[in-house]
Amino acid sequence: MTKLKVDDQAPDFSGIDQNGRNISLSQFNGKPLVLFFYPKDDSKSCTNEACEFRDKYSSFVNAGADVIGISNDDPESHANFISKNSLPYTLISDKDGEIAKKYGVHKELLFFPGRTTFILNKEHKIIGTHSSLINASSHIQESLKAIDHLKGGTPVH
């Protein structure tokens, strides 16, 4: 599948979170959402990204949005990663890569899982996307911009 883009409808997905619960996109109906796909729990860049989302989490919540991280790590790894870094949001295991495939998130540099963020409005239409394997901080900045635009009613293009 090709990577999803602005104005596409986000496909529903289902995956297991850090607590062993099945989580699906439809559980967040009526709520804006930031979905960030990242390569690996505990890697330096991914930890920085996850902690920056943590540090800005209240800004997302205050705008009515939630944040979900997705990687191919297993739920136990996610639970440890959350505990170690005091992450306040859900992490979903995409062990088989099916969620990434639905969203068109491909491996980068031939073997690294992709780092792509999708910002969804309350109808789960994509209002923003951002990809950068190297600059993890840019994902948070771009997500906040899109959520701020959403909050103000201005479309992001």
Side-chain angles (χ1 to χ4, degrees):
M1 175 181 227
T2 59
K3 188 175 281 187
L4 297 175
K5 59 192 180 317
V6 171
D7 293 329
D8 285 345
Q9 187 65 40
D12 200 11
F13 62 80
S14 181
I16 304 300
D17 76 358
Q18 70 274 4
N19 298 312
R21 295 179 305 206
N22 192 40
I23 302 293
S24 66
L25 178 62
S26 59
Q27 289 174 254
F28 296 88
N29 282 346
K31 187 169 200 167
L33 201 57
V34 175
L35 297 177
F36 74 99
F37 289 83
Y38 66 100
K40 183 95 178 107
D41 289 347
D42 293 312
S43 68
K44 184 176 178 177
S45 185
C46 293
T47 300
N48 289 342
E49 179 183 25
C51 289
E52 194 164 345
F53 268 116
R54 174 200 64 206
D55 296 345
K56 304 287 188 199
Y57 185 67
S58 64
S59 297
F60 290 105
V61 170
N62 289 339
D66 210 338
V67 175
I68 296 177
I70 302 172
S71 79
N72 61 3
D73 295 294
D74 63 33
E76 183 179 351
S77 175
H78 284 337
N80 291 333
F81 190 51
I82 284 172
S83 177
K84 189 184 308 180
N85 296 290
S86 301
L87 304 179
Y89 48 81
T90 299
L91 297 179
I92 294 176
S93 178
D94 186 24
K95 200 76 177 145
D96 59 6
E98 286 303 310
I99 301 171
K101 185 188 280 184
K102 282 183 177 186
Y103 281 76
V105 178
H106 304 290
K107 294 197 183 295
E108 299 182 28
L109 303 175
L110 300 177
F111 57 91
F112 285 112
R115 182 186 311 280
T116 302
T117 300
F118 296 91
I119 304 94
L120 315 179
N121 68 13
K122 64 183 181 177
E123 291 83 26
H124 295 157
K125 191 173 196 178
I126 298 170
I127 62 158
T129 66
H130 186 70
S131 291
S132 176
L133 186 60
I134 307 299
N135 187 356
S137 286
S138 64
H139 289 262
I140 294 83
Q141 296 160 3
E142 293 301 316
S143 297
L144 281 171
K145 280 185 206 172
I147 292 296
D148 283 345
H149 276 76
L150 213 166
K151 190 175 170 184
T154 308
V156 177
H157 289 284

